[in-house]
Short mmCIF file of all heavy atoms in Angstrom, two decimals:
data_model
loop_
_atom_site.label_atom_id
_atom_site.label_comp_id
_atom_site.label_asym_id
_atom_site.label_seq_id
_atom_site.Cartn_x
_atom_site.Cartn_y
_atom_site.Cartn_z
N ARG A 1 -2.06 -3.37 -2.71
CA ARG A 1 -2.40 -4.66 -2.13
C ARG A 1 -1.45 -4.98 -0.97
O ARG A 1 -0.31 -4.48 -0.95
CB ARG A 1 -2.27 -5.79 -3.16
CG ARG A 1 -3.16 -5.64 -4.37
CD ARG A 1 -2.90 -6.77 -5.30
NE ARG A 1 -3.44 -6.51 -6.63
CZ ARG A 1 -3.19 -7.23 -7.70
NH1 ARG A 1 -2.39 -8.27 -7.63
NH2 ARG A 1 -3.71 -6.92 -8.86
N LEU A 2 -1.89 -5.84 -0.09
CA LEU A 2 -1.07 -6.30 1.00
C LEU A 2 -0.19 -7.47 0.50
O LEU A 2 -0.66 -8.39 -0.15
CB LEU A 2 -1.92 -6.78 2.19
CG LEU A 2 -1.20 -7.31 3.38
CD1 LEU A 2 -0.35 -6.21 4.03
CD2 LEU A 2 -2.17 -7.88 4.39
N ASP A 3 1.12 -7.37 0.79
CA ASP A 3 2.05 -8.45 0.45
C ASP A 3 2.90 -8.71 1.67
O ASP A 3 3.87 -8.00 1.92
CB ASP A 3 2.92 -8.06 -0.71
CG ASP A 3 3.91 -9.14 -1.13
OD1 ASP A 3 3.79 -10.26 -0.63
OD2 ASP A 3 4.80 -8.85 -1.91
N SER A 4 2.44 -9.68 2.48
CA SER A 4 3.09 -9.95 3.79
C SER A 4 3.03 -8.70 4.64
O SER A 4 1.92 -8.26 4.94
CB SER A 4 4.52 -10.46 3.56
OG SER A 4 5.06 -10.85 4.79
N GLN A 5 4.13 -8.11 4.99
CA GLN A 5 4.13 -6.89 5.78
C GLN A 5 4.56 -5.66 4.95
O GLN A 5 5.24 -4.77 5.45
CB GLN A 5 5.05 -7.04 7.00
CG GLN A 5 4.49 -8.03 8.00
CD GLN A 5 3.13 -7.59 8.55
OE1 GLN A 5 2.92 -6.46 8.99
NE2 GLN A 5 2.16 -8.49 8.53
N ALA A 6 4.17 -5.68 3.71
CA ALA A 6 4.49 -4.59 2.78
C ALA A 6 3.30 -4.22 1.93
O ALA A 6 2.36 -4.95 1.78
CB ALA A 6 5.68 -5.01 1.90
N ILE A 7 3.38 -3.01 1.39
CA ILE A 7 2.38 -2.55 0.39
C ILE A 7 2.95 -2.83 -0.99
O ILE A 7 4.06 -2.42 -1.29
CB ILE A 7 2.13 -1.03 0.54
CG1 ILE A 7 1.59 -0.71 1.91
CG2 ILE A 7 1.18 -0.52 -0.56
CD1 ILE A 7 1.55 0.78 2.23
N ALA A 8 2.15 -3.54 -1.79
CA ALA A 8 2.56 -3.79 -3.19
C ALA A 8 1.78 -2.84 -4.06
O ALA A 8 0.57 -2.73 -3.97
CB ALA A 8 2.27 -5.22 -3.57
N LEU A 9 2.49 -2.06 -4.86
CA LEU A 9 1.88 -1.09 -5.78
C LEU A 9 1.80 -1.69 -7.21
O LEU A 9 2.81 -2.15 -7.71
CB LEU A 9 2.70 0.20 -5.82
CG LEU A 9 2.57 1.14 -4.63
CD1 LEU A 9 3.48 0.64 -3.51
CD2 LEU A 9 2.97 2.51 -5.02
N TYR A 10 0.59 -1.67 -7.76
CA TYR A 10 0.35 -2.17 -9.11
C TYR A 10 -0.18 -1.07 -9.99
O TYR A 10 -0.98 -0.23 -9.53
CB TYR A 10 -0.68 -3.31 -9.07
CG TYR A 10 -0.15 -4.58 -8.48
CD1 TYR A 10 -0.09 -4.78 -7.08
CD2 TYR A 10 0.23 -5.64 -9.30
CE1 TYR A 10 0.37 -5.94 -6.56
CE2 TYR A 10 0.72 -6.82 -8.76
CZ TYR A 10 0.75 -6.96 -7.39
OH TYR A 10 1.22 -8.16 -6.85
N GLU A 11 0.18 -1.12 -11.25
CA GLU A 11 -0.36 -0.19 -12.27
C GLU A 11 -0.65 -1.05 -13.50
O GLU A 11 0.25 -1.75 -14.00
CB GLU A 11 0.62 0.91 -12.58
CG GLU A 11 0.06 1.92 -13.59
CD GLU A 11 1.04 3.06 -13.83
OE1 GLU A 11 2.23 2.81 -13.83
OE2 GLU A 11 0.56 4.19 -14.03
N ASN A 12 -1.90 -0.98 -13.97
CA ASN A 12 -2.31 -1.79 -15.16
C ASN A 12 -1.99 -3.26 -14.97
O ASN A 12 -1.56 -3.91 -15.91
CB ASN A 12 -1.69 -1.24 -16.41
CG ASN A 12 -2.10 0.18 -16.70
OD1 ASN A 12 -3.24 0.57 -16.50
ND2 ASN A 12 -1.15 1.00 -17.14
N GLY A 13 -2.15 -3.78 -13.75
CA GLY A 13 -1.95 -5.18 -13.50
C GLY A 13 -0.52 -5.56 -13.29
O GLY A 13 -0.19 -6.73 -12.98
N GLN A 14 0.44 -4.64 -13.47
CA GLN A 14 1.83 -4.95 -13.32
C GLN A 14 2.37 -4.38 -11.98
O GLN A 14 2.09 -3.22 -11.67
CB GLN A 14 2.65 -4.37 -14.46
CG GLN A 14 2.39 -5.03 -15.77
CD GLN A 14 3.43 -4.59 -16.82
OE1 GLN A 14 3.71 -3.44 -16.97
NE2 GLN A 14 3.98 -5.59 -17.50
N ARG A 15 3.10 -5.21 -11.28
CA ARG A 15 3.64 -4.84 -10.00
C ARG A 15 4.82 -3.86 -10.24
O ARG A 15 5.76 -4.15 -10.96
CB ARG A 15 4.14 -6.08 -9.27
CG ARG A 15 4.58 -5.83 -7.89
CD ARG A 15 4.98 -7.17 -7.29
NE ARG A 15 5.45 -6.98 -5.97
CZ ARG A 15 5.09 -7.74 -4.93
NH1 ARG A 15 4.21 -8.72 -5.11
NH2 ARG A 15 5.56 -7.54 -3.78
N LEU A 16 4.70 -2.68 -9.58
CA LEU A 16 5.76 -1.66 -9.71
C LEU A 16 6.86 -1.82 -8.64
O LEU A 16 8.04 -1.79 -8.93
CB LEU A 16 5.18 -0.28 -9.63
CG LEU A 16 4.11 0.09 -10.66
CD1 LEU A 16 3.58 1.51 -10.40
CD2 LEU A 16 4.76 0.02 -12.06
N ARG A 17 6.42 -1.95 -7.38
CA ARG A 17 7.36 -2.03 -6.24
C ARG A 17 6.60 -2.37 -4.98
O ARG A 17 5.39 -2.41 -4.96
CB ARG A 17 8.11 -0.74 -6.09
CG ARG A 17 7.22 0.44 -5.63
CD ARG A 17 7.91 1.78 -5.67
NE ARG A 17 8.17 2.05 -7.06
CZ ARG A 17 9.12 2.86 -7.50
NH1 ARG A 17 9.87 3.47 -6.68
NH2 ARG A 17 9.31 3.06 -8.78
N THR A 18 7.37 -2.55 -3.92
CA THR A 18 6.80 -2.75 -2.62
C THR A 18 7.39 -1.76 -1.60
O THR A 18 8.54 -1.32 -1.81
CB THR A 18 7.01 -4.18 -2.05
OG1 THR A 18 8.39 -4.44 -1.97
CG2 THR A 18 6.35 -5.22 -2.96
N VAL A 19 6.63 -1.43 -0.60
CA VAL A 19 7.08 -0.52 0.47
C VAL A 19 6.75 -1.21 1.82
O VAL A 19 5.57 -1.52 2.07
CB VAL A 19 6.35 0.85 0.39
CG1 VAL A 19 6.83 1.77 1.49
CG2 VAL A 19 6.58 1.46 -0.98
N PRO A 20 7.76 -1.47 2.64
CA PRO A 20 7.49 -2.06 3.95
C PRO A 20 6.61 -1.17 4.82
O PRO A 20 6.85 0.03 4.95
CB PRO A 20 8.87 -2.21 4.55
CG PRO A 20 9.81 -2.17 3.41
CD PRO A 20 9.17 -1.25 2.41
N ILE A 21 5.57 -1.77 5.38
CA ILE A 21 4.64 -1.00 6.23
C ILE A 21 5.36 -0.41 7.44
O ILE A 21 5.07 0.69 7.89
CB ILE A 21 3.46 -1.89 6.64
CG1 ILE A 21 2.60 -2.17 5.39
CG2 ILE A 21 2.60 -1.24 7.71
CD1 ILE A 21 1.48 -3.20 5.62
N ALA A 22 6.34 -1.13 7.97
CA ALA A 22 7.08 -0.70 9.16
C ALA A 22 7.77 0.63 8.96
O ALA A 22 8.09 1.32 9.96
CB ALA A 22 8.07 -1.77 9.58
N LEU A 23 8.04 1.05 7.73
CA LEU A 23 8.74 2.28 7.46
C LEU A 23 7.79 3.49 7.41
O LEU A 23 8.26 4.62 7.26
CB LEU A 23 9.51 2.19 6.14
CG LEU A 23 10.58 1.16 6.07
CD1 LEU A 23 11.24 1.15 4.68
CD2 LEU A 23 11.66 1.37 7.15
N LEU A 24 6.47 3.25 7.45
CA LEU A 24 5.50 4.30 7.19
C LEU A 24 4.83 4.83 8.46
O LEU A 24 4.53 4.05 9.36
CB LEU A 24 4.45 3.83 6.22
CG LEU A 24 4.95 3.44 4.83
CD1 LEU A 24 3.86 2.84 4.04
CD2 LEU A 24 5.48 4.69 4.12
N GLU A 25 4.60 6.14 8.45
CA GLU A 25 3.80 6.76 9.48
C GLU A 25 2.44 7.19 8.90
O GLU A 25 1.44 7.18 9.57
CB GLU A 25 4.54 8.02 9.99
CG GLU A 25 3.83 8.75 11.09
CD GLU A 25 4.63 9.91 11.58
OE1 GLU A 25 5.87 9.92 11.46
OE2 GLU A 25 4.02 10.87 12.12
N ARG A 26 2.45 7.52 7.60
CA ARG A 26 1.20 7.94 6.96
C ARG A 26 1.30 7.71 5.44
O ARG A 26 2.38 7.64 4.89
CB ARG A 26 0.90 9.39 7.20
CG ARG A 26 1.78 10.38 6.47
CD ARG A 26 1.56 11.82 6.89
NE ARG A 26 1.81 12.10 8.29
CZ ARG A 26 3.03 12.32 8.79
NH1 ARG A 26 4.11 12.29 8.01
NH2 ARG A 26 3.17 12.58 10.08
N ILE A 27 0.10 7.55 4.83
CA ILE A 27 -0.01 7.46 3.38
C ILE A 27 -0.98 8.58 2.94
O ILE A 27 -2.08 8.69 3.49
CB ILE A 27 -0.57 6.08 2.95
CG1 ILE A 27 0.38 4.99 3.37
CG2 ILE A 27 -0.77 6.06 1.46
CD1 ILE A 27 -0.16 3.58 3.11
N ILE A 28 -0.57 9.34 1.96
CA ILE A 28 -1.44 10.40 1.41
C ILE A 28 -1.79 10.00 0.00
O ILE A 28 -0.92 9.76 -0.84
CB ILE A 28 -0.70 11.76 1.41
CG1 ILE A 28 -0.33 12.13 2.84
CG2 ILE A 28 -1.59 12.83 0.76
CD1 ILE A 28 0.55 13.37 2.96
N ILE A 29 -3.09 9.89 -0.28
CA ILE A 29 -3.57 9.50 -1.59
C ILE A 29 -4.28 10.71 -2.24
O ILE A 29 -5.19 11.26 -1.72
CB ILE A 29 -4.58 8.32 -1.52
CG1 ILE A 29 -3.87 7.12 -0.86
CG2 ILE A 29 -5.12 7.95 -2.86
CD1 ILE A 29 -4.76 5.97 -0.55
N ARG A 30 -3.76 11.08 -3.40
CA ARG A 30 -4.33 12.21 -4.13
C ARG A 30 -4.67 11.88 -5.58
O ARG A 30 -4.48 12.69 -6.49
CB ARG A 30 -3.35 13.39 -4.08
CG ARG A 30 -3.94 14.67 -4.56
CD ARG A 30 -2.95 15.81 -4.55
NE ARG A 30 -3.48 16.92 -5.30
CZ ARG A 30 -4.15 17.93 -4.83
NH1 ARG A 30 -4.40 17.98 -3.56
NH2 ARG A 30 -4.58 18.87 -5.60
N ALA A 31 -5.10 10.69 -5.80
CA ALA A 31 -5.50 10.26 -7.15
C ALA A 31 -6.43 9.06 -7.00
O ALA A 31 -6.57 8.51 -5.93
CB ALA A 31 -4.26 9.88 -7.96
N ASP A 32 -7.04 8.71 -8.09
CA ASP A 32 -7.96 7.57 -8.12
C ASP A 32 -7.14 6.30 -7.87
O ASP A 32 -6.36 5.87 -8.72
CB ASP A 32 -8.68 7.49 -9.44
CG ASP A 32 -9.77 6.45 -9.52
OD1 ASP A 32 -10.21 6.03 -8.44
OD2 ASP A 32 -10.11 6.06 -10.63
N THR A 33 -7.28 5.71 -6.67
CA THR A 33 -6.49 4.57 -6.25
C THR A 33 -7.38 3.49 -5.62
O THR A 33 -8.25 3.83 -4.85
CB THR A 33 -5.41 5.02 -5.23
OG1 THR A 33 -4.62 6.04 -5.84
CG2 THR A 33 -4.54 3.89 -4.80
N GLN A 34 -7.11 2.25 -5.93
CA GLN A 34 -7.82 1.15 -5.31
C GLN A 34 -6.95 0.62 -4.15
O GLN A 34 -5.77 0.40 -4.33
CB GLN A 34 -8.07 0.02 -6.32
CG GLN A 34 -9.03 0.40 -7.40
CD GLN A 34 -9.26 -0.80 -8.33
OE1 GLN A 34 -8.91 -1.92 -8.02
NE2 GLN A 34 -9.85 -0.52 -9.48
N VAL A 35 -7.63 0.39 -2.99
CA VAL A 35 -6.94 -0.12 -1.83
C VAL A 35 -7.70 -1.33 -1.31
O VAL A 35 -8.88 -1.22 -1.09
CB VAL A 35 -6.83 0.96 -0.74
CG1 VAL A 35 -6.04 0.46 0.46
CG2 VAL A 35 -6.21 2.26 -1.28
N SER A 36 -7.00 -2.47 -1.08
CA SER A 36 -7.68 -3.64 -0.58
C SER A 36 -8.06 -3.47 0.90
O SER A 36 -7.36 -2.77 1.63
CB SER A 36 -6.81 -4.89 -0.77
OG SER A 36 -5.73 -4.87 0.16
N SER A 37 -9.14 -4.10 1.33
CA SER A 37 -9.55 -3.99 2.72
C SER A 37 -8.59 -4.65 3.66
O SER A 37 -8.36 -4.19 4.78
CB SER A 37 -10.97 -4.59 2.88
OG SER A 37 -10.92 -5.92 2.45
N SER A 38 -7.91 -5.72 3.23
CA SER A 38 -6.90 -6.35 4.07
C SER A 38 -5.71 -5.42 4.29
O SER A 38 -5.15 -5.38 5.40
CB SER A 38 -6.46 -7.68 3.48
OG SER A 38 -5.90 -7.50 2.19
N LEU A 39 -5.34 -4.63 3.30
CA LEU A 39 -4.27 -3.68 3.50
C LEU A 39 -4.68 -2.59 4.46
O LEU A 39 -3.93 -2.22 5.36
CB LEU A 39 -3.85 -3.05 2.14
CG LEU A 39 -2.85 -1.92 2.23
CD1 LEU A 39 -1.56 -2.41 2.89
CD2 LEU A 39 -2.57 -1.36 0.85
N LEU A 40 -5.91 -2.08 4.33
CA LEU A 40 -6.37 -1.05 5.27
C LEU A 40 -6.38 -1.55 6.69
O LEU A 40 -5.98 -0.82 7.63
CB LEU A 40 -7.78 -0.56 4.85
CG LEU A 40 -7.86 0.30 3.61
CD1 LEU A 40 -9.32 0.60 3.28
CD2 LEU A 40 -7.11 1.60 3.82
N ALA A 41 -6.81 -2.78 6.92
CA ALA A 41 -6.81 -3.39 8.25
C ALA A 41 -5.40 -3.46 8.80
O ALA A 41 -5.16 -3.11 9.99
CB ALA A 41 -7.45 -4.73 8.22
N ASN A 42 -4.45 -3.91 8.01
CA ASN A 42 -3.05 -3.99 8.49
C ASN A 42 -2.45 -2.62 8.72
O ASN A 42 -1.65 -2.46 9.65
CB ASN A 42 -2.21 -4.78 7.49
CG ASN A 42 -2.31 -6.27 7.73
OD1 ASN A 42 -2.50 -6.70 8.85
ND2 ASN A 42 -2.23 -7.03 6.67
N LEU A 43 -2.79 -1.64 7.90
CA LEU A 43 -2.32 -0.29 8.15
C LEU A 43 -2.83 0.27 9.47
O LEU A 43 -2.09 0.88 10.25
CB LEU A 43 -2.70 0.65 7.00
CG LEU A 43 -2.02 0.37 5.65
CD1 LEU A 43 -2.65 1.25 4.57
CD2 LEU A 43 -0.53 0.63 5.73
N ALA A 44 -4.11 -0.01 9.75
CA ALA A 44 -4.71 0.45 11.02
C ALA A 44 -4.03 -0.23 12.20
O ALA A 44 -3.69 0.42 13.19
CB ALA A 44 -6.19 0.15 11.01
N ASP A 45 -3.76 -1.53 12.08
CA ASP A 45 -3.09 -2.29 13.14
C ASP A 45 -1.67 -1.74 13.39
O ASP A 45 -1.19 -1.75 14.52
CB ASP A 45 -3.00 -3.74 12.83
CG ASP A 45 -4.36 -4.46 12.92
OD1 ASP A 45 -5.30 -3.89 13.53
OD2 ASP A 45 -4.50 -5.58 12.36
N ALA A 46 -1.03 -1.27 12.34
CA ALA A 46 0.34 -0.77 12.45
C ALA A 46 0.37 0.72 12.85
O ALA A 46 1.44 1.29 13.03
CB ALA A 46 1.08 -0.96 11.11
N GLY A 47 -0.79 1.36 12.95
CA GLY A 47 -0.87 2.75 13.33
C GLY A 47 -0.50 3.70 12.21
O GLY A 47 -0.12 4.85 12.45
N VAL A 48 -0.64 3.27 10.96
CA VAL A 48 -0.37 4.11 9.78
C VAL A 48 -1.62 4.88 9.40
O VAL A 48 -2.63 4.26 9.13
CB VAL A 48 0.15 3.26 8.60
CG1 VAL A 48 0.39 4.14 7.37
CG2 VAL A 48 1.42 2.50 9.01
#
């Protein structure tokens, strides 16, 4: 999920951690993962 300018990672409804979008160049997903559309839009805007 998008949390301000960071990615919030959740598992079973519990928040695990956040990762600032500014630190990322790419995200590689290799498992069944849900991604919010607002997060995808912000990642595109940031060039991730």
Side-chain angles (χ1 to χ4, degrees):
R1 300 180 196 168
L2 180 64
D3 180 11
S4 187
Q5 291 301 311
I7 299 170
L9 285 80
Y10 288 81
E11 183 177 35
N12 298 320
Q14 291 191 314
R15 187 178 179 134
L16 300 176
R17 67 188 68 204
T18 60
V19 179
I21 292 173
L23 298 178
L24 296 173
E25 183 177 334
R26 74 187 60 82
I27 298 173
I28 301 172
I29 300 173
R30 190 182 166 94
D32 187 20
T33 303
Q34 293 182 13
V35 183
S36 72
S37 58
S38 59
L39 174 59
L40 287 175
N42 276 328
L43 291 172
D45 289 344
V48 177

